[in-house]
Amino acid sequence: MKKVLHISTECYPAAKAGGMADVVGSLPKYLIKQGWNTAVITPRYKLPWFDQQVFRNVYSGSFDMEGQMTLFDVYKAKKGTLPYDYYCIEILGRFDRDSIYLNEYGHGFHDEAERNVSFQRSVLQWLSDKKNKTSFDLLHCHDHQVGFIPFMVKKVPTFESIKDIPIYYTIHNGAYNSKYPWGRLDLLPKFDATDSQFIEWDGFIDASAAAMRFADHVNTVSPSYLEELKDQLPSMKFMSDKEPKKFTGTLNGIDNEVWNPKTDVLLTNKLTTTVDQFKKVNKGEILEGLYRLDGIPLIGFIGRFAHQKGGDLLVPAIERILVRFGFVNFFILGSGDHFIEQKVQELRDRYAERVACFIGYNETLAHKIYAASDFIVMPSRFEPCGLNQMFAMRYGALAIARKTGGLKDTVVDFELGGVGVSFDYDSVEDLINAMSRAMHLYKDQKRFKKLRSKAMKLDLSWDKSASEYSMNYKRLIEKMD
Ligand code: ADP
């Protein structure tokens, strides 16, 4: 059985900041079904999950980074902790924090460069050390945080022993990148100076450009996002023009075992009888204190308050819908931009009987909102794949989504034969129009329920996409053999 190691800074349930954790936590599980032996490695954070597991130290090492010794330990979780082997790297001072990326003010940690590069170097040092008996047939790197790995594997003499391992690189969000000035070159281990041209883009050391150049295969998390990125990211355009076959778009799936309304351990009220009853009891639980009547729709929003997610469009659009329709409730769960957080709270204060919000990150509440909602709104400016719309459909909430990236690939408008409400522009007006269409659809309960039941039956699981990854892995391994 061939072995694949997923290298990532997130993995659900160990450490989650967004959709990448869902993907890294579930794809390896579905790859096992495709005949792969899979494993995941992440940093070891000071998050509750890590304290609850039993780990065994399997390797200790050190290296010099910018003139300072970095010490690290590799731990392996007890068999059965997750459905695949799980490793984590401990680097004291760098990762033993109770947050994955952000400090208490919501800003990226000041030592993000040291954190990302030391994690990558530790993984490679462990893998390339002949004393280490654990080996893999393919490395799958997730996003720019581990984007120097393809270059380091192929060009750094210290890692010579693993230079022939094929490397897969997945772009979960092309808007984020690790870019450093040349003064930070000593973060990386020594390599032939003439190779430094290969990690350069626009005058910087650029992890994403280096990854696209040196990975054996690159994919984005939806086909539409691949095309959009080619327009938006000059490095992607350049590399994909040179090697078009190397770049593909594979839609994310969802973990049907975690996201199952009948068995979801985070739900107090699981789906046991009818969907109407399921919605009613879940609304009852989370809308306590709100004005409720049977037949009032609930529209939910779950996500980061970032420009990408269109959080700034939400408040003015919701206000118009509240004024126009009266009978509608909203639940907003999210955090990020403090200005949007404040606007959401002000909206809740103005419409306390019809708007609920929770500012922060709360996994359990997210599950409950999907279960209670009739619609989930996603006014994203761009969306590499988006998972919320898929979780929502599985829990009987239709998506109101902007036609971009993965949303374009997964949400088809109900007037065009689909089961969602989609809209074109990232404007307050278009969002109002879409929500208003959703309100009218909800009034036609017969039609709404038919669409809802169709949405709940869609196969959104990883099976299809995992077989696409599997096929690509096989091709790369055969090429190297
Ligand atoms: P992204 O990774 O860009 O944030 P995705 O749609 O790919 O967006 O995935 C977001 C994931 O994070 C989903 O699992 C969603 O339910 C979850 N999520 C986002 N914000 C919150 C929050 N405030 N509380 C709980 N879960 C959240």
Side-chain angles (χ1 to χ4, degrees):
M1 219 187 236
K2 297 283 187 196
K3 290 175 75 183
V4 180
L5 177 65
H6 289 261
I7 309 170
S8 167
T9 50
E10 295 180 44
C11 173
Y12 181 81
K16 172 168 168 176
M20 186 166 81
D22 292 307
V23 172
V24 176
S26 54
L27 172 61
K29 215 160 116 177
Y30 283 78
L31 285 165
I32 294 172
K33 288 201 214 163
Q34 302 278 334
W36 294 87
N37 182 335
T38 54
V40 173
I41 189 163
T42 70
R44 182 171 182 163
Y45 302 98
K46 202 165 166 298
L47 294 169
W49 185 88
F50 290 85
D51 293 335
Q52 292 151 12
Q53 314 308 323
V54 178
F55 290 104
R56 181 166 57 90
N57 184 265
V58 292
Y59 185 85
S60 301
S62 64
F63 52 85
D64 175 276
M65 198 168 83
E66 291 187 320
Q68 274 186 16
M69 196 57 90
T70 296
L71 303 166
F72 70 94
D73 284 285
V74 184
Y75 289 92
K76 185 175 184 186
K78 194 173 145 196
K79 216 168 182 48
T81 302
L82 293 174
Y84 37 81
D85 286 343
Y86 179 76
Y87 298 88
C88 56
I89 302 252
E90 180 177 78
I91 304 177
L92 293 179
R94 293 280 177 234
F95 290 104
D96 43 343
R97 303 176 191 176
D98 59 6
S99 159
I100 301 176
Y101 304 120
L102 305 178
N103 65 21
E104 71 246 62
Y105 307 108
H107 300 140
F109 287 124
H110 70 282
D111 58 348
E112 192 185 295
E114 289 88 336
R115 298 174 92 230
N116 288 343
V117 181
S118 62
F119 171 57
Q120 299 174 75
R121 289 183 62 176
S122 302
V123 173
L124 296 186
Q125 181 157 328
W126 167 56
L127 291 177
S128 61
D129 189 335
K130 299 227 171 68
K131 287 198 297 258
N132 163 38
K133 299 275 178 297
T134 314
S135 64
F136 295 92
D137 299 287
L138 185 138
L139 304 181
H140 189 151
C141 301
H142 296 270
D143 251 352
H144 67 97
Q145 295 92 330
V146 295
F148 289 119
I149 285 185
F151 170 78
M152 289 198 282
V153 165
K154 285 172 193 178
K155 291 290 180 183
V156 169
T158 325
F159 306 134
E160 167 94 25
S161 65
I162 52 169
K163 76 175 191 329
D164 294 329
I165 299 185
I167 304 187
Y168 210 96
Y169 179 65
T170 296
I171 301 176
H172 293 263
N173 193 332
Y176 298 96
N177 192 6
S178 299
K179 267 170 100 159
Y180 311 131
W182 283 100
R184 306 294 318 262
L185 187 61
D186 286 346
L187 284 168
L188 298 172
K190 295 266 168 296
F191 56 88
D192 186 335
T194 57
D195 288 334
S196 53
Q197 57 176 312
F198 299 127
I199 53 171
E200 192 266 355
W201 189 266
D202 257 355
F204 287 90
I205 305 172
D206 183 315
S208 150
M212 287 192 267
R213 202 171 247 137
F214 284 93
D216 300 285
H217 193 88
V218 179
N219 81 302
T220 61
V221 287
S222 71
S224 290
Y225 189 57
L226 176 70
E227 296 315 313
E228 291 170 15
L229 259 196
K230 285 182 192 168
D231 287 337
Q232 291 159 15
L233 203 61
S235 51
M236 157 79 93
K237 165 105 184 89
F238 179 81
M239 315 278 180
S240 61
D241 279 353
K242 262 175 108 171
E243 297 180 274
K245 289 211 182 95
K246 199 171 101 170
F247 290 75
T248 55
T250 304
L251 201 61
N252 285 337
I254 63 173
D255 187 335
N256 270 346
E257 287 165 24
V258 174
W259 295 94
N260 181 345
K262 292 183 180 156
T263 55
D264 187 335
V265 289
L266 297 180
L267 292 184
T268 322
N269 310 295
K270 302 185 207 327
L271 174 59
T272 48
T273 54
T274 62
V275 182
D276 279 344
Q277 180 63 15
F278 175 62
K279 291 287 158 191
K280 189 173 172 186
V281 287
N282 279 292
K283 279 179 188 172
E285 185 185 353
I286 66 165
L287 296 183
E288 213 175 315
L290 261 70
Y291 181 66
R292 269 178 287 132
L293 271 182
D294 275 346
I296 294 192
L298 171 65
I299 304 183
F301 172 90
I302 299 168
R304 295 178 287 119
F305 293 152
H307 183 74
Q308 170 192 348
K309 302 285 176 185
D312 52 317
L313 310 173
L314 266 184
V315 171
I318 289 178
E319 185 142 28
R320 284 278 291 283
I321 294 293
L322 284 166
V323 171
R324 168 68 181 78
F325 289 95
F327 289 133
V328 52
N329 288 328
F330 285 89
F331 204 124
I332 303 171
L333 165 64
S335 61
D337 185 322
H338 293 329
F339 181 72
I340 300 176
E341 289 181 356
Q342 192 190 328
K343 290 280 162 205
V344 168
Q345 281 164 318
E346 285 169 10
L347 181 81
R348 189 261 325 269
D349 293 344
R350 277 201 301 283
Y351 298 92
E353 291 180 335
R354 283 179 291 149
V355 177
C357 74
F358 182 93
I359 306 298
Y361 189 91
N362 188 325
E363 188 72 28
T364 305
L365 183 56
H367 284 239
K368 292 182 177 182
I369 296 174
Y370 291 118
S373 296
D374 300 295
F375 296 96
I376 286 288
V377 61
M378 301 181 72
S380 303
R381 291 204 163 79
F382 68 94
E383 196 59 78
C385 175
L387 294 170
N388 298 15
Q389 75 280 16
M390 299 197 243
F391 301 145
M393 287 190 255
R394 186 128 164 89
Y395 282 51
L398 304 187
I400 305 172
R402 183 164 169 253
K403 278 185 222 161
T404 178
L407 294 178
K408 198 159 136 188
D409 296 336
T410 51
V411 180
V412 177
D413 196 89
F414 69 101
E415 288 181 310
L416 298 170
V419 293
V421 181
S422 52
F423 60 103
D424 286 305
Y425 299 106
D426 53 342
S427 70
V428 175
E429 293 72 26
D430 259 43
L431 178 56
I432 292 171
N433 188 266
M435 285 201 284
S436 144
R437 289 174 58 226
M439 292 294 296
H440 284 286
L441 168 62
Y442 189 80
K443 277 187 190 152
D444 184 350
Q445 279 284 296
K446 203 164 154 217
R447 190 173 188 194
F448 173 78
K449 284 183 188 171
K450 220 166 136 188
L451 293 172
R452 182 175 72 184
S453 122
K454 210 167 144 191
M456 292 180 83
K457 289 194 192 100
L458 290 178
D459 179 11
L460 304 164
S461 90
W462 268 110
D463 287 322
K464 183 166 167 284
S465 298
S467 78
E468 211 168 301
Y469 278 107
S470 171
M471 243 160 47
N472 288 334
Y473 287 175
K474 277 187 198 144
R475 191 173 41 76
L476 297 187
I477 292 174
E478 278 160 18
K479 214 164 92 185
M480 295 289 175
D481 282 345

